[in-house]
Amino acid sequence: MLIALLLLLTLPARADMQLTRELVAPDTLVPGQPVRVAYTFWTDSWFNPAPTWPELPVSGGEVLSLPIATQLVSRREGGKSWSGIRMERLIATWDSGQLHLPAAEVTLTSAGQAPHTVALAPLNRPVHWPKGTRQPDRFLPAADLKLTQQIIPHATRPGDNTLRVGDAIDRRVTLEGAGVLPAAIPQLLYAIPGNETQLLPRNNQRLQTPRGDFTGARRVETLRYLPSRPGSVVIPPLTLRWWDSAHQRWRVDTLPGKTLTIAPAPATGKERVLQAGNHTFWPALSGWLVGALALLLGLYLLRHRLSTRLTGIRRRWQGFWQILPLPGLAPTGTASEHAARPPKRLFSPPPARQRAG
């Protein structure tokens, strides 16, 4: 009876549904700065179906194809406890103007009740280049940025720290930025023609949290120096000017340069033999002489044992080739005597059996 009473009390109850949209962004945006658009489906009951997310029309920008995990949220409003599902998307604009999300109407449906239409208000944000922008194609907005480098020499001789002609030096620069898109990071290193440099393939990675939320990007570039003459290789300093979107100001990061000394290439082949002279001949000759003397000394100490062994081997060899006489099988006499003799039977027939009386 108690269960039936509770069912009767819950029949007239209807689940309330709401849909909100917000733009998670500062009042003024710069080109290339990613911002979030969040849709949240709210309900005061757990018996509603999964929401159908509306389309995201954007004017003056584009929706980025970077996945962001959906999350569960809650709030208390009007004396009710609301549970919600929050879906976020990243949008960005690449030039100054106006980022505009037009007004929209979304119809929410649930089992056992009429459809509910929710109106979404339009959202706008102005987009401007900050003052002091020099090169829009190298403009880099980021909430935080870290720039590091490694100078990696590759010597041909293991254990030798001296760089010579024919060796290689790698300059590896790593940029990690929070709130920055991989496509917005400009090129950092350049291979100058005629400067004996080679730009290796770069590596772009998207940074994310363990739950799959987008946080930023990482870019790794490597420039290889290939010196072809002795002297010095000058690695110039690197300066990067970027826009701090969290504090709305310009910042400059600098990586120091370095000068490396290049020694002549080591002598190889015939040139090395000519420069070495007789220094490489006497050690080899002395080694052969020591080996020959050791062999002669060993033969002298083992002469009796070797003589006995050689005598035994010689006798066995002669015995192996010595002819063995076979009595009764070797032919004797002349050919006419052999012809007059009757042939001998090799096998005689068995005696006949006697019949019993």
Side-chain angles (χ1 to χ4, degrees), residues 1 110 182 225 299 325:
M1 293 179 61
S110 179
Y225 292 84
L299 293 176

Side-chain angles (χ1 to χ4, degrees), residues 11 32 86-87 104 123 158 170 181 198 200 204 227 233 237-238 246 272 275 284 287 289 305 311 356:
L11 282 178
R86 184 183 181 93
M87 186 269 293
L123 299 176
D170 287 350
L181 300 174
Q198 178 185 4
L200 302 183
N204 282 351
V233 171
L238 176 64
R272 185 171 184 177
Q275 291 182 0
L289 291 176
R305 184 175 297 180
T311 303

Side-chain angles (χ1 to χ4, degrees), residues 56-72:
L56 184 57
V58 178
S59 177
E62 63 176 345
V63 181
L64 304 177
S65 59
L66 297 176
I68 298 179
T70 304
Q71 54 183 329
L72 301 178

